[in-house]
Amino acid sequence: DSFNNTASYTFATLPAQPSITPGGNGSTATPLKIIEPELSAVVSAANVTNPGLRAVAGDIIRMTATITASGGLPADDFAHAFDISYTETLSSSLAYIAGTASVTGVGNFVNDPIEVGDGIATPQQLTWSQANGRASIAIPEGTFVTMVYDLRVLDNLENNQQLSNLANIEWTGQNGVNPNQRDGSGTPAVNDYN
C-alpha cells in the first residue's frame, strides 16, 4: 500500500493575535510506501509410532509447521514479523501431548499451548501466542522458523476416519505492545494479518 502525505500549519505572530492561515504547507513528491510483513505456513504430519503407515489409536503424530517470512532482499517490500500467534484446530480423535512443543529461531520459545476441547466430545484447538504467554516468536524477513509438536491418536478414532488440521497464523509489524500499531480494527481493515 502507499499514500501521499500532505501537511499544513498556522501560526500567530504575537500572543492573542489571530492565526495566519495558511502558515505553510507541503506534500511528498512521491507516494510513501507502507511495508509490512507477509507470512506463509506449511504444515506436515508424520506417524512417529508407525512411520509410513495409516494412523491407528495410540499412534503419535509429529506435526511440523514451517512459517516463512517473505523478503530478505535489499529494498524489497517486506518487513520482519513479530508476536506470531499460531492456532491449530484439530479434527476429533487427536489430542496434544504435553511437553512436546519446540520452535527454532534465536530468542524464540514456545510452551504448551492453551488447549480448548478434549479431542473426544469436542475437537481440540491449540493456541500459542505472546498474548497468552505460551510463545514468543519473531521471524526476520527472508527467513523461517519451524515449530514441532506431537499429537496422540485417541481411542475414539472410527474406521476410515480422516484426521485433519487447520492452521492459522497472525502477526504484527512492530515488536511488543504498541497502542498505535495497526491491528485490523480500522475501516477498512487493511491489515488483517492472518
Side-chain angles (χ1 to χ4, degrees):
D1 292 338
S2 65
F3 68 96
N4 286 319
N5 190 25
T6 303
S8 64
Y9 63 94
T10 63
F11 67 95
T13 56
L14 296 171
Q17 294 294 313
S19 294
I20 299 171
T21 305
N25 60 48
S27 63
T28 57
T30 58
L32 297 173
K33 185 178 267 187
I34 299 170
I35 298 174
E36 298 285 357
E38 183 175 315
L39 300 185
S40 62
V42 175
V43 182
S44 63
N47 188 336
V48 176
T49 307
N50 294 298
L53 298 179
R54 185 181 177 106
V56 297
D59 282 358
I60 295 173
I61 306 299
R62 176 145 305 140
M63 304 298 291
T64 303
T66 302
I67 307 169
T68 303
S70 297
L73 299 174
D76 65 16
D77 291 341
F78 302 101
H80 302 325
F82 301 98
D83 309 331
I84 282 74
S85 172
Y86 182 86
T87 301
E88 183 88 33
T89 302
L90 306 172
S91 64
S92 64
S93 304
L94 291 172
Y96 174 75
I97 300 174
T100 61
S102 65
V103 67
T104 61
V106 176
N108 291 339
F109 75 86
V110 291
N111 294 316
D112 286 336
I114 296 290
E115 297 175 49
V116 176
D118 61 5
I120 299 169
T122 307
Q124 273 198 333
Q125 184 176 69
L126 313 172
T127 303
W128 289 269
S129 73
Q130 187 161 321
N132 70 19
R134 303 306 173 103
S136 179
I137 304 171
I139 308 173
E141 68 167 297
T143 66
F144 66 90
V145 299
T146 302
M147 221 174 115
V148 177
Y149 49 96
D150 290 345
L151 307 174
R152 182 172 310 284
V153 180
L154 302 176
D155 290 337
N156 66 330
L157 181 68
E158 296 180 13
N159 190 32
N160 293 319
Q161 177 182 340
Q162 293 292 317
L163 299 175
S164 63
N165 70 307
L166 177 63
N168 184 60
I169 51 174
E170 296 179 1
W171 60 93
T172 65
Q174 297 179 354
N175 195 12
V177 176
N178 181 338
N180 299 313
Q181 181 164 257
R182 299 182 332 162
D183 64 5
S185 61
T187 303
V190 296
N191 58 330
D192 54 347
Y193 302 140
N194 58 43

